């Protein structure tokens, strides 16, 4: 992560003055809108579209520069039969240091696919996070499919057999109004599975997920109690490698989200559109998936990401973000925001030591 340090002042200058013009440091690429879960906190499965093909991804990757961290999301990413090939082309073209893939754990060959990705991308850190939102039938109720919990645990245990310094296996929980009161119980169960990291994200209204009209976000008071519990757990547990850094950021993320929920503003400057971005499964380019403000579609623009990233629509959206017209607790973008905020990074370093 130290190799990022020279790039930090450049992104701060880009946000303040619009120059130098830089490509994203953190990129989320939705490889599919298809999903076999029916989550109460996500409706993406209702809007399945014409996913980009492998050949289309190859053309796109040639124009996105060298992002440090790439998340391959969905839908359910492991439903893509060519996921290994997508990862390989991303790796060979863009050389990301970290490739993060979330999963609901439903696909039978998930562990084998992960092994193949590791074999073909040996210099990248592969992070796989299995999503678990409850225990037994409580998880199935939230995920909307009977047997989801059993499949997720089975997949997790198969992934746990993978050995390699460039592999991190985590568990991910979406904290919603449906499970916020049970997080301590969920944590106590999941801790016994010994994940490399345990991360959570708050359920929120997102254009990408089709949840703008959904009542899923826990109230600030309940969320605060939950994350205070999780923060104490992080402080009392020893982590190693990438997980140690992740959890140091996690402590600060929890504090930022609490303030956003209570105060309703950009607690630290947002770098969406400057250092982070997202490409939807059908080729739309967004600064973030919460607003889902379409800058254009890559299929309609010769798969030229730079044309959209540096276009007039992008510049207008950047000004709105700089003025603080939007604020959200999106975890993926928040990590980038924290990295580029001096005060937050001092606190992260304090957490590390």
């Amino acid at each position: 992560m130290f190799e990022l340090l020279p790039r930090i002042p450049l992104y701060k200058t880009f946000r303040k003055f619009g120059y130098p013009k830089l490509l994203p440091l953190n990129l989320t690429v939705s490889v599919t809108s298809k999903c076999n879960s029916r989550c109460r906190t996500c409706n993406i499965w209702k809007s399945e579209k014409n996913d980009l093909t492998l050949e289309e991804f190859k053309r796109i990757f040639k124009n996105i520069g060298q992002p440090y961290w790439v998340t391959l999301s969905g839908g359910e990413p492991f439903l893509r039969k060519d996921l290994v090939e997508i990862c390989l082309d991303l790796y060979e073209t863009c050389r990301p240091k970290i490739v993060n893939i979330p999963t609901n754990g439903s696909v039978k060959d998930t562990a084998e696919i992960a092994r193949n990705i590791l074999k073909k991308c040996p210099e990248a850190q592969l992070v796989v996070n299995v999503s678990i939102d409850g225990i037994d039938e409580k998880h199935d109720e939230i995920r909307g499919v009977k047997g989801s919990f059993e499949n997720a645990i089975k997949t997790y245990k198969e992934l746990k057999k993978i050995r390699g310094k460039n592999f991190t296996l985590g568990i991910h929980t979406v904290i919603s109004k449906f499970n916020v009161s049970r997080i301590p119980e969920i944590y106590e169960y999941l801790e016994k599975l010994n994940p490399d990291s345990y991360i959570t994200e708050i359920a929120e209204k997102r254009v990408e997920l089709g949840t703008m009209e959904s009542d899923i976000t826990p109230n600030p008071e309940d969320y605060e109690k939950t994350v205070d519990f999780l923060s104490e757990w992080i402080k009392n547990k020893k982590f190693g490698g990438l997980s140690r850094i992740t959890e140091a950021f996690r402590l600060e993320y929890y504090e930022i989200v609490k303030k956003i929920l209570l105060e309703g503003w950009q607690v630290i400057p947002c770098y969406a559109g400057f250092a982070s971005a997202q490409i939807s499964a059908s080729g739309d380019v967004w600064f973030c998936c919460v607003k889902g403000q379409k800058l254009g579609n890559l299929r309609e623009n010769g798969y030229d990401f730079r044309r959209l990233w540096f276009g007039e629509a992008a510049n207008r959206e950047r000004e709105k973000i700089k003025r603080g017209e939007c604020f959200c607790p999106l975890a993926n973008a928040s990590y980038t925001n924290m990295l580029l905020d001096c005060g937050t990074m001092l606190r992260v370093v304090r957490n590390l030591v």
Side-chain angles (χ1 to χ4, degrees), residues 40-307:
R40 298 176 71 183
T41 56
C42 175
N43 295 317
I44 199 167
W45 56 274
K46 293 182 179 179
S47 59
E48 291 184 5
K49 298 179 181 178
N50 185 19
D51 293 343
L52 293 163
T53 66
L54 175 60
E55 291 304 314
E56 288 177 309
F57 278 121
K58 287 183 177 181
R59 296 179 67 178
I60 292 167
F61 292 156
K62 291 177 181 177
N63 289 287
I64 63 173
Q66 292 187 314
Y68 186 86
W69 180 303
V70 178
T71 298
L72 299 179
S73 69
E76 170 49 47
F78 285 92
L79 287 175
R80 288 278 314 216
K81 301 298 183 183
D82 54 1
L83 183 60
V84 175
E85 288 75 16
I86 291 173
C87 288
L88 177 60
D89 197 73
L90 171 69
Y91 175 75
E92 291 182 337
T93 306
C94 306
R95 293 289 169 179
K97 297 296 183 182
I98 301 171
V99 176
N100 174 51
I101 310 178
T103 178
N104 62 22
S106 64
V107 178
K108 182 179 179 181
D109 299 327
T110 295
E112 187 59 31
I113 294 169
R115 287 190 182 91
N116 288 333
I117 293 171
L118 286 166
K119 187 182 299 182
K120 293 180 180 293
C121 310
E123 299 301 319
Q125 182 79 22
L126 176 63
V127 181
V128 176
N129 287 311
V130 180
S131 295
I132 299 178
D133 292 342
I135 302 171
D136 295 323
E137 70 277 0
K138 297 296 184 182
H139 174 82
D140 291 0
E141 287 174 11
I142 294 174
R143 291 280 160 169
V145 177
K146 188 175 182 180
S148 294
F149 181 79
E150 181 181 354
N151 288 333
I153 295 298
K154 184 176 180 180
T155 295
Y156 174 85
K157 289 180 177 179
E158 286 300 313
L159 287 164
K160 194 69 175 172
K161 296 175 183 177
I162 297 176
R163 296 289 179 267
K165 63 179 182 179
N166 63 328
F167 181 63
T168 299
L169 175 61
I171 294 177
H172 171 269
T173 297
V174 177
I175 300 178
S176 68
K177 65 180 298 182
F178 310 118
N179 65 359
V180 65
S181 63
R182 295 196 299 272
I183 293 300
E185 170 194 349
I186 295 168
Y187 155 73
E188 288 172 7
Y189 178 93
L190 298 179
E191 185 189 27
K192 297 173 185 176
L193 298 177
N194 194 30
D196 296 325
S197 65
Y198 177 61
I199 63 174
T200 67
E201 186 165 9
I202 189 168
E204 57 188 322
K205 296 181 178 182
R206 295 190 198 175
V207 170
E208 177 198 25
L209 304 182
T211 55
M212 296 304 292
E213 305 302 322
S214 301
D215 182 19
I216 56 178
T217 305
N219 67 55
E221 292 76 18
D222 289 341
Y223 181 79
E224 183 175 12
K225 291 177 185 177
T226 294
V227 296
D228 285 348
F229 166 83
L230 292 172
S231 294
E232 284 303 310
W233 165 68
I234 292 172
K235 292 173 184 176
N236 293 319
K237 186 175 174 63
K238 291 184 178 180
F239 297 91
L242 179 64
S243 298
R244 185 170 175 232
I245 298 172
T246 300
E247 297 302 337
F249 273 93
R250 180 64 42 178
L251 286 171
E252 289 306 306
Y253 169 72
Y254 287 147
E255 293 302 313
I256 289 170
V257 175
K258 286 194 294 186
K259 290 181 180 178
I260 289 174
L261 291 178
L262 288 169
E263 301 173 17
W265 65 293
Q266 281 185 21
V267 175
I268 60 174
C270 180
Y271 282 82
F274 299 93
S276 60
Q278 180 156 347
I279 299 172
S280 79
S282 58
D284 291 338
V285 175
W286 306 326
F287 283 165
C288 83
C289 63
V290 175
K291 289 183 69 177
Q293 181 63 47
K294 181 178 173 180
L295 305 178
N297 185 275
L298 290 166
R299 282 171 167 154
E300 298 166 3
N301 286 273
Y303 303 96
D304 189 348
F305 180 85
R306 295 168 191 252
R307 182 190 300 176

